[in-house]
Amino acid sequence: MIPVCRLEDLPEGESVRLDITPPVAVFRTDDGELYAIDDTCTHQDASLSEGWLEGCLVECPLHAASFNLRTGQPTCLPARRPVRTHRVTVDDGIVHVHLAAEEGTAA
């Protein structure tokens, strides 16, 4: 479990990047929902936290690939591979990310 920030410090419609390996982006939608995904677009090395958030989709700032924040699945080309999703919780007003196990490793 990785502490990210205070919930009040992450406005709706915004994101924050965790500089870990691999980087993770945490998004707060306009509806107040929280999602976390690997921050790097699977099409090319671009930070998704710098992309455009619309509902539960984030658009890569480089070539406009779009990803579903709930599933990590790309919703259009040029991305073909999904990004990994992570569970997000809020405890005592602090946003936490629970990293998903990487493929090929035990959870």
Side-chain angles (χ1 to χ4, degrees):
M1 179 168 70
I2 300 171
V4 177
C5 64
R6 295 182 309 177
L7 182 60
E8 64 192 45
D9 292 336
L10 182 56
E12 292 180 355
E14 297 293 324
S15 65
V16 63
R17 175 185 163 112
L18 298 176
D19 288 319
I20 59 176
T21 303
V24 171
V26 180
F27 296 88
R28 187 172 184 192
T29 67
D30 289 333
D31 294 332
E33 297 293 321
L34 295 166
Y35 298 97
I37 60 173
D38 281 354
D39 185 50
T40 306
C41 178
T42 58
H43 169 251
Q44 214 167 32
D45 291 339
S47 173
L48 294 173
S49 65
E50 296 175 8
W52 297 275
L53 186 60
E54 186 172 330
C56 285
L57 300 178
V58 63
E59 183 180 307
C60 176
L62 198 55
H63 292 115
S66 182
F67 295 89
N68 183 311
L69 294 175
R70 291 183 183 114
T71 65
Q73 292 295 319
T75 61
C76 65
L77 296 173
R80 296 178 187 269
R81 292 179 292 123
V83 291
R84 189 171 52 148
T85 61
H86 308 280
R87 189 167 61 95
V88 180
T89 58
V90 178
D91 186 35
D92 290 329
I94 304 295
V95 177
H96 293 89
V97 170
H98 305 260
L99 295 179
E102 291 190 47
E103 286 186 40
T105 64

